[in-house]
Amino acid sequence: MAEFTMELNDDQKEVRDWLHGFAADVIRPAAAEWDEREETPWPVIQEAAKVGIYSLDFYAQQFFDPTGLGIPMAMEELFWGDAGIALSIVGTGLAAIGVVANGTEEQIGTWIPQMYGTPDDVKVAAFCSSEPDAGSDVGSMRTRAVYDQAKDEWVLNGTKTWATNGGIANVHIVVAVVDPELGTKGHASFIVPPGTPGLSQGQKFKKHGIRASHTAEVVLEDVRVPGSCLLGGKEKLDERLARARERARADGVGASSSGSRGRVKNAAMATFEASRPAVGAMAVGTARAAYEVALDYAMNRTQFGRPIIDNQGVAFQLADMRTQIDAARLLVWRASWMATAGRPFTSAEGSMSKLFASEVAKKVTAQAVQILGGNGYTREYPVERMHRDSAIYTIFEGTSEIQRLVIARTLSGMPIR
């Protein structure tokens, strides 16, 4: 396993420069248009597919980078271009992670290629976990999956919300309750193949930021999927549920209370644990983009006969912005390297990276707007959009409050609420 390093090798630098060029030449020129349209930028996704960025092979190469830096490096460069378009390009990855984290080799080989399609016929996928009454509180999930043994099918009913690519996806990955008595330990993930009857798009959300990324409800009404669409398979699920029940009995509590005890794997959490450093890298990309605009503006904008960067009030803000961005990147890279090296997050390092980078993105983009003054408040300059986009990082895939809860529980070993 590669030792931790802050120095990219020649191959990584080549990939970084290639991604930066795509972000600068293709993503950025289209950013304002698709933000205004609030639609999925299919032409940009297709361009990404044609050059090999939107593909299973590309993400696999970055995922298996032995240094662990492939994914965060890629996320930072793409989101430097534009957060909304970049999320449309990488949003399928969350569903893919769900399959990799919980599925069998056959499921991975069968379904992940269908999530991406081909350069001539691009597809997207959606990961559906949150619900109207179950966001951070995954224990309140109501979507049910009931096994029909006679037909070897699972029947899904419920409503998911905040699903990236929800309703327009070729493949949906849905987290559902299979045993309500086990709380969060009674959840499982299911593949819903394209064209499955009963799955429909509900409300499409008009958002504050990342407007080029499609976010919607997904409604499941008697959705039947084959038994083979249970991620990991039924035998593995039965074994996991049996362990959860036995642990609940050993703890001397009702099974419904076991959700907060033990270390039995939860389907949704396994996906989020794997993706948190990547979200941190997205935030770093947005923060870096806003900082660069602000620095350039401060160097060239004159007031009272001199560039505004000559004023300490501006220069010190930029110094703090750059320091915080670099610190956030360090935390993200450390967590990414640890995950690849198989080192456990004994201090919740994954949550640390996501928490700090998300908060930095909000702060840095706000400072960029302030440095640009009235210009920063208009859509003539991109920092206004970057500031709107940055708000999502402290919300999705675990709010900042949830990250702090995870970190505090990990450090103390106490059931902090």
Side-chain angles (χ1 to χ4, degrees):
M1 178 57 61
E3 292 298 319
F4 180 70
T5 177
M6 289 298 297
E7 182 66 30
L8 298 178
N9 60 42
D10 290 342
D11 290 340
Q12 291 169 327
K13 290 177 181 177
E14 183 177 350
V15 172
R16 180 199 60 192
D17 293 345
W18 171 54
L19 291 170
H20 187 81
F22 183 85
D25 298 339
V26 180
I27 293 178
R28 279 205 169 177
E33 175 188 351
W34 291 99
D35 178 72
E36 290 286 347
R37 292 175 63 166
E38 298 190 51
E39 297 174 357
T40 301
W42 291 108
V44 183
I45 298 175
Q46 187 170 36
E47 284 300 310
K50 286 180 178 178
V51 300
I53 294 174
Y54 186 75
S55 71
L56 172 60
D57 288 344
F58 172 73
Y59 289 107
Q61 289 172 10
Q62 304 315 309
F63 184 81
F64 290 110
D65 181 332
T67 69
L69 303 184
I71 289 294
M73 177 190 65
M75 295 302 105
E76 179 176 338
E77 293 305 327
L78 292 173
F79 280 74
W80 173 89
D82 177 68
I85 291 178
L87 190 57
S88 288
I89 293 173
V90 307
T92 293
L94 186 59
I97 289 172
V99 175
V100 172
N102 301 293
T104 64
E105 290 187 7
E106 182 179 358
Q107 289 169 332
I108 293 170
T110 299
W111 294 106
I112 290 185
Q114 295 187 48
M115 294 179 175
Y116 289 95
T118 67
D120 294 325
D121 185 22
V122 294
K123 306 293 184 183
V124 295
F127 182 78
C128 308
S129 177
S130 294
E131 298 183 3
D133 296 319
S136 298
D137 181 14
V138 294
S140 296
M141 190 177 293
R142 295 180 181 178
T143 297
R144 288 294 309 275
V146 178
Y147 185 56
D148 183 343
Q149 187 171 0
K151 295 184 178 180
D152 185 27
E153 292 179 339
W154 289 89
V155 185
L156 279 63
N157 282 282
T159 299
K160 295 295 182 180
T161 193
W162 309 123
T164 298
N165 298 329
I168 66 170
N170 195 47
V171 178
H172 291 76
I173 304 300
V174 177
V175 182
V177 179
V178 295
D179 189 335
E181 295 298 316
L182 291 176
T184 59
K185 311 307 180 189
H187 296 177
S189 292
F190 298 85
I191 303 161
V192 181
T196 301
L199 184 147
S200 61
Q201 179 184 309
Q203 176 187 5
K204 178 186 175 182
F205 297 104
K206 296 181 74 67
K207 304 187 298 296
H208 176 64
I210 55 168
R211 294 177 178 177
S213 174
H214 176 97
T215 310
E217 291 181 330
V218 174
V219 180
L220 304 129
E221 297 179 310
D222 292 328
V223 172
R224 286 182 167 268
V225 298
S228 60
C229 286
L230 166 64
L231 284 177
K234 193 167 187 306
E235 182 178 350
K236 184 178 178 180
L237 172 65
D238 289 342
E239 291 175 356
R240 178 164 62 81
L241 297 179
R243 290 197 303 272
R245 296 186 189 105
E246 181 60 32
R247 188 181 298 275
R249 286 193 293 270
D251 288 341
V253 298
S256 62
S257 301
S258 65
S260 62
R261 306 173 74 107
R263 297 293 299 166
V264 179
K265 184 178 180 182
N266 173 267
M269 291 302 101
T271 301
F272 293 139
E273 286 172 4
S275 64
R276 278 173 179 159
V279 175
M282 298 173 189
V284 171
T286 300
R288 188 184 113 212
Y291 158 78
E292 289 177 1
V293 173
L295 176 63
D296 181 72
Y297 186 88
M299 297 281 286
N300 292 283
R301 170 71 167 173
T302 59
Q303 289 286 282
F304 306 105
R306 61 181 184 177
I308 63 173
I309 199 170
D310 280 0
N311 300 301
Q312 286 188 3
V314 173
F316 284 8
Q317 281 194 74
L318 289 162
D320 287 343
M321 291 159 73
R322 177 58 187 267
T323 300
Q324 291 165 353
I325 291 167
D326 282 12
R329 185 184 297 109
L330 277 166
L331 284 172
V332 167
W333 282 21
R334 180 185 69 168
S336 301
W337 172 78
M338 289 178 68
T340 300
R343 301 200 176 188
F345 290 158
T346 55
S347 298
E349 287 87 352
S351 289
M352 283 185 185
S353 69
K354 198 267 187 185
L355 168 66
F356 189 76
S358 298
E359 297 289 344
V360 164
K362 283 188 68 174
K363 184 176 181 179
V364 165
T365 55
Q367 288 175 301
V369 171
Q370 189 67 26
I371 289 171
L372 269 68
N375 287 327
Y377 199 66
T378 72
R379 295 187 185 181
E380 295 300 314
Y381 287 80
V383 292
E384 176 271 341
R385 184 180 67 252
M386 294 168 183
H387 184 43
R388 285 189 287 106
D389 291 342
S390 69
I392 194 60
Y393 299 126
T394 63
I395 297 172
F396 73 173
E397 294 196 49
T399 64
S400 288
E401 291 74 20
I402 289 297
Q403 304 307 327
R404 291 185 174 96
L405 187 63
V406 170
I407 295 166
R409 284 178 174 176
T410 304
L411 296 177
S412 68
M414 300 297 290
I416 300 167
R417 296 184 181 276

